[in-house]
Amino acid sequence: MLPLLPQLLCAIAEKLSRKLIAMDPACQPALQRLQGKQLSFCLRDLNLTLVISASNDSLLINMHNEATDCKITTDLATLRQLRDPSQLTKLIKSDALDIDGDLQVAQQFSYFLQQLNPDWQHALSGYIGDAAAHKISRTLSQLQAYLQEKAKLLSQLQLELVQDELRLSPTRLEADQFTQDLSELQARLEMLRRQLKQYQEL
């Protein structure tokens, strides 16, 4: 039997997914393609395994250690970084992320969640009217764009701080210069090695 709190959280997540999916009828084809497939997340820091599968109207979330189509072993901090697909290779190489099974299944679930687009305006209009729902929807869209822009700016500032102020990471120009210097040094060493060999043969 599942522990009470995780069981409750799984039930809440399933209910929320059902409501969101109902607000986006266009997601049904992608949801149908997920049926019969299971994706599991083994969270090392929580000693917990979550298994996601699909029904005809929601995502089902359970906990078990049986085999699934794709198993991702990681921790919570790394899980948050998976929102950026460009980090995938880096995380795998650093052993922060381990993927066992069919990677395509993980990609299908990821694509489904990224493309899920609930019609908030239509849902709100039934409670507060079309005009107010439209205004709130527009405000939320503007807020989302604002937050995305600020997050991008913060990420850039962090990169500049690491590179320029703390000097913890080289800039692209510095890295290129280092590579060039290293190549020149290797060429000089090779030349000295040949000269030394010629001297020894005299």
Side-chain angles (χ1 to χ4, degrees):
M1 183 176 179
L2 295 177
L4 183 58
L5 181 58
Q7 187 178 15
L8 177 61
L9 293 176
C10 287
I12 292 173
E14 287 181 12
K15 187 174 181 179
L16 177 61
S17 76
R18 184 174 288 109
K19 288 185 178 296
L20 293 176
I21 289 170
M23 292 164 60
D24 183 15
C27 77
Q28 280 300 321
L31 184 64
Q32 293 293 325
R33 288 192 289 272
L34 290 176
Q35 292 192 27
K37 299 174 182 176
Q38 289 188 327
L39 172 65
S40 61
F41 289 92
C42 180
L43 303 176
R44 291 182 291 236
D45 45 353
L46 298 180
N47 194 25
L48 180 70
T49 299
L50 296 175
V51 180
I52 304 175
S53 56
S55 71
N56 61 348
D57 65 349
S58 68
L59 292 179
L60 305 177
I61 304 173
N62 209 327
M63 291 190 297
H64 63 71
N65 292 315
E66 298 175 13
T68 58
D69 298 294
C70 182
K71 181 179 180 181
I72 297 177
T73 303
T74 185
D75 51 52
L76 280 176
T78 303
L79 195 60
R80 287 191 286 268
Q81 297 182 53
L82 289 179
R83 290 177 295 182
D84 181 3
S86 66
Q87 296 293 316
L88 185 61
T89 303
K90 176 185 174 184
L91 294 172
I92 292 174
K93 287 183 177 179
S94 65
D95 292 328
L97 179 71
D98 181 57
I99 300 177
D100 182 27
D102 187 355
L103 180 58
Q104 189 175 7
V105 171
Q107 292 172 332
Q108 287 175 334
F109 274 97
S110 175
Y111 177 79
F112 173 79
L113 292 172
Q114 290 174 18
Q115 296 302 310
L116 188 61
N117 186 26
D119 189 352
W120 297 104
Q121 183 175 333
H122 178 72
L124 286 172
S125 65
Y127 297 97
I128 60 177
D130 290 339
H134 176 70
K135 185 174 182 180
I136 291 175
S137 178
R138 186 177 61 184
T139 301
L140 288 175
S141 296
Q142 292 172 344
L143 178 60
Q144 182 182 21
Y146 173 80
L147 292 175
Q148 288 175 342
E149 181 62 28
K150 291 303 178 184
K152 184 178 178 181
L153 178 61
L154 179 60
S155 178
Q156 181 63 32
L157 288 174
Q158 288 174 334
L159 179 61
E160 291 176 0
L161 176 64
V162 168
Q163 290 182 339
D164 301 333
E165 301 298 330
L166 301 179
R167 310 295 292 178
L168 297 178
S169 173
T171 63
R172 180 63 179 269
L173 184 61
E174 289 172 332
D176 291 342
Q177 184 62 49
F178 175 77
T179 301
Q180 182 179 345
D181 292 344
L182 185 60
S183 297
E184 291 177 357
L185 179 59
Q186 288 174 331
R188 290 174 186 170
L189 286 173
E190 179 62 23
M191 183 180 67
L192 288 172
R193 188 188 66 80
R194 287 197 302 266
Q195 290 176 347
L196 179 60
K197 183 178 180 180
Q198 290 173 355
Y199 176 77
Q200 290 173 338
E201 291 174 349
L202 294 178

